[in-house]
């Protein structure tokens, strides 16, 4: 599956802890858990469990190997299950049904790397980011003519037809113009496999894609490709809940904040995403580091 469908609350630890102290419940003695707001706990008890939706084919975040779900989000989910005093059930499904299902209340959490966008922020609430979803470029390792972003001037670029990489072209064109450069030819592809093949065959000079997907590709083929700079405004991926579900949002932010504080998040990023994001914001931000109104 490609990245087409993704383009790709600040609260201090003290505030989050305080908000969860009211009506806390205790889990079994052999587990170290977070306190949970009583209202949220009652909501979960109505169903009997928290229901999260994850994707079936979006490596390195979520995918199946021999029928077993693995990936970055699954690693986070395993840790989340150990620190909450209720059952978490997981439904694995195609991307198209996840965000609408959360907005409609069918699922409690879209536990997937959903890009934070202006449109989605109108009907979903997002956690603090779990990764970047900014657009970058890769080039052939033996192409010495491209050493920096400004060297893309006049080059032939590969993007996905109708995808986020295509949407990043205006940002790149503006940057090149600042350096007195010009945008070259842009070729659109239905999928990235064809674009990568054309890059190898020198039909294009660089391919634009989200930085995580490119990082994984370069890690797999370091003798062939080099990862370049970001070509667009910074964008972020996060988990999502139904608009207004503040208790659940606070709990998830508390969990993600604790992983950052204990140093557990970066090693998981390095293992699965092949890149780390040390300075992710502590609130959901729109592309270009804009606040959600």
């Amino acid at each position: 599956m490609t990245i087409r469908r993704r383009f790709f609350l600040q609260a201090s630890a003290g505030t989050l802890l305080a908000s969860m102290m009211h009506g806390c419940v205790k889990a079994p003695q052999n587990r170290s858990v977070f306190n949970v707001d009583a209202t949220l706990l009652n909501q979960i008890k109505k169903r009997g469990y928290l229901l999260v939706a994850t994707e079936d084919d979006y490596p390195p975040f979520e995918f199946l190997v021999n029928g077993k779900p693995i990936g970055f989000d699954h690693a986070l989910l395993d840790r989340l299950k150990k620190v909450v005093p209720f059952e978490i059930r997981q439904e694995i499904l195609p991307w198209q049904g996840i965000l609408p299902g959360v907005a409609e209340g069918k699922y409690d959490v879209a536990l997937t790397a959903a890009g934070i966008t202006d449109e989605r922020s109108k009907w979903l609430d997002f956690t603090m980011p779990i990764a970047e979803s900014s657009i970058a470029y890769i080039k052939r390792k033996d192409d010495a003519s491209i050493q920096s972003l400004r060297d893309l001037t006049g080059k032939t670029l590969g993007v996905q037809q109708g995808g986020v990489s295509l949407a990043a072209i205006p940002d790149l064109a503006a940057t090149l113009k600042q350096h007195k450069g010009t945008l070259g030819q842009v070729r659109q592809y239905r999928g990235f496999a064809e674009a990568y093949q054309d890059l190898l065959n020198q039909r294009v000079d660089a391919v634009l894609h989200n930085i995580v997907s490119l990082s994984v590709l370069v890690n797999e083929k370091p003798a062939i490709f080099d990862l370049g700079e970001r070509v667009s405004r910074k964008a972020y991926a996060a988990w999502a809940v139904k608009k207004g579900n503040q208790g659940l949002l606070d709990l998830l932010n508390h969990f993600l904040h604790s992983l950052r504080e204990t140093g557990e998040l970066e090693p998981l990023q390095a293992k699965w995403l092949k890149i780390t994001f040390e300075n992710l914001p502590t609130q959901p931000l729109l592309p270009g580091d804009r606040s959600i109104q």
Side-chain angles (χ1 to χ4, degrees):
M1 179 174 290
T2 66
I3 195 70
R4 170 187 296 183
R5 65 280 193 290
R6 303 176 184 278
F7 184 68
F8 295 36
L9 296 166
Q10 183 159 14
S12 66
T15 301
L16 288 171
L17 285 168
S19 70
M20 294 173 191
M21 285 301 295
H22 175 68
C24 66
V25 297
K26 298 293 184 182
Q29 294 298 313
N30 62 340
R31 296 175 65 191
S32 175
V33 303
F34 293 138
N35 296 311
V36 181
D37 178 81
T39 300
L40 172 62
L41 191 63
N42 288 334
Q43 292 174 353
I44 295 172
K45 284 182 176 179
K46 287 182 181 179
R47 179 182 276 153
Y49 50 86
L50 187 78
L51 183 59
V52 304
T54 62
E55 199 166 338
D56 59 351
D57 187 19
Y58 184 44
F61 291 99
E62 303 143 62
F63 55 109
L64 302 175
V65 174
N66 297 324
K68 178 183 178 181
I70 62 173
F72 180 61
D73 282 312
H74 291 294
L76 294 178
L77 176 58
D78 287 343
R79 283 160 174 76
L80 179 61
K81 288 179 177 179
K82 295 175 182 177
V83 295
V84 293
F86 47 77
E87 181 185 1
I88 298 180
R89 295 187 185 178
Q90 174 186 14
E91 188 162 332
I92 302 173
L93 64 153
W95 160 254
Q96 289 78 6
I98 293 180
L99 295 187
V102 170
E104 295 164 5
K106 184 176 181 180
Y107 312 108
D108 297 304
V109 185
L111 206 148
T112 184
I116 305 172
T117 69
D118 293 74
E119 179 60 31
R120 290 173 185 167
S121 67
K122 296 175 183 178
W123 46 282
L124 292 167
D125 282 333
F126 290 93
T127 65
M128 63 177 66
I130 60 172
E132 270 192 48
S133 58
S134 308
I135 301 299
Y137 73 88
I138 58 167
K139 70 177 188 75
R140 294 182 300 277
K141 196 174 189 71
D142 60 2
D143 185 358
S145 70
I146 301 176
Q147 298 296 327
S148 67
L149 185 64
R150 67 178 64 186
D151 294 330
L152 293 180
T153 186
K155 299 292 188 180
T156 301
L157 308 175
V159 300
Q160 185 187 35
Q161 183 179 4
V164 180
S165 55
L166 176 61
I169 288 296
D171 281 350
L172 175 58
T175 300
L176 294 176
K177 186 176 181 179
Q178 290 175 1
H179 295 289
K180 303 187 185 306
T182 57
L183 188 69
Q185 182 182 0
V186 177
R187 292 186 177 177
Q188 299 185 40
Y189 297 87
R190 294 189 63 182
F192 282 100
E194 185 182 357
Y196 296 147
Q197 189 60 50
D198 273 4
L199 178 58
L200 289 175
N201 293 333
Q202 301 185 28
R203 296 190 183 99
V204 296
D205 301 300
V207 173
L208 311 189
H209 199 357
N210 79 81
I211 196 168
V212 170
S213 295
L214 294 183
S215 179
V216 171
L217 177 63
V218 171
N219 181 265
E220 293 174 349
K221 302 182 183 299
I224 301 175
F225 298 117
D226 268 343
L227 178 62
E229 302 169 64
R230 295 169 179 83
V231 303
S232 68
R233 298 173 294 171
K234 278 191 176 181
Y236 302 98
W239 296 344
V241 302
K242 187 176 182 178
K243 195 76 174 177
N245 195 344
Q246 191 63 44
L248 181 54
L249 190 65
D250 286 345
L251 176 63
L252 297 174
N253 275 327
H254 181 188
F255 167 69
L256 294 172
H257 180 84
S258 72
L259 292 183
R260 295 191 190 187
E261 288 294 295
T262 58
E264 295 178 75
L265 188 61
E266 284 186 27
L268 289 175
Q269 290 173 339
K271 176 181 178 180
W272 292 105
L273 312 184
K274 308 306 179 185
I275 189 173
T276 60
F277 303 104
E278 295 84 356
N279 298 311
L280 286 173
T282 56
Q283 59 181 328
L285 294 177
L286 298 170
D289 286 335
R290 293 176 293 125
S291 298
I292 297 176
Q293 302 301 319

